[in-house]
């Protein structure tokens, strides 16, 4: 069964919520993390916009991904 437009948006919002919580637990905040508003009007799955971050945040994120918290 295909998801409705509303279900797709809710799924993307939940993904954003989970990403924010997981990143916060690792001490990383991506201030621009959100559901891309332009993508919700299309037929496919909405995009999650990770956005821009400063160098410190980028280095923290890289360290978390490398398991060096």
């Amino acid at each position: 069964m295909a998801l409705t437009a509303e279900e797709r948006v809710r799924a993307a919002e939940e993904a954003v919520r989970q990403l924010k919580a997981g990143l916060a637990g690792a001490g990383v905040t991506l201030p621009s993390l959100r559901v891309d508003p332009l993508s919700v009007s299309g037929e496919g799955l909405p995009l999650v916009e990770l956005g821009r971050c400063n160098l410190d945040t980028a280095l923290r994120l890289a360290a978390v991904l490398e398991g060096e918290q």
Side-chain angles (χ1 to χ4, degrees):
M1 172 171 72
L3 297 175
T4 66
E6 186 176 323
E7 290 170 328
R8 291 191 303 266
V9 171
R10 272 192 263 142
E13 290 170 342
E14 177 61 16
V16 167
R17 187 197 65 73
Q18 289 179 17
L19 280 167
K20 283 184 178 182
L23 289 168
V28 176
T29 300
L30 296 177
S32 302
L33 179 60
R34 66 185 182 141
V35 175
D36 175 44
L38 297 176
S39 68
V40 298
S41 62
E43 292 295 317
L45 293 174
L47 299 174
V48 173
E49 186 174 316
L50 299 177
R52 297 167 29 152
C53 64
N54 63 30
L55 178 58
D56 181 58
T57 301
L59 292 172
R60 283 182 181 207
L61 183 55
V64 167
L65 292 173
E66 292 174 6
E68 297 178 10
Q69 289 184 333

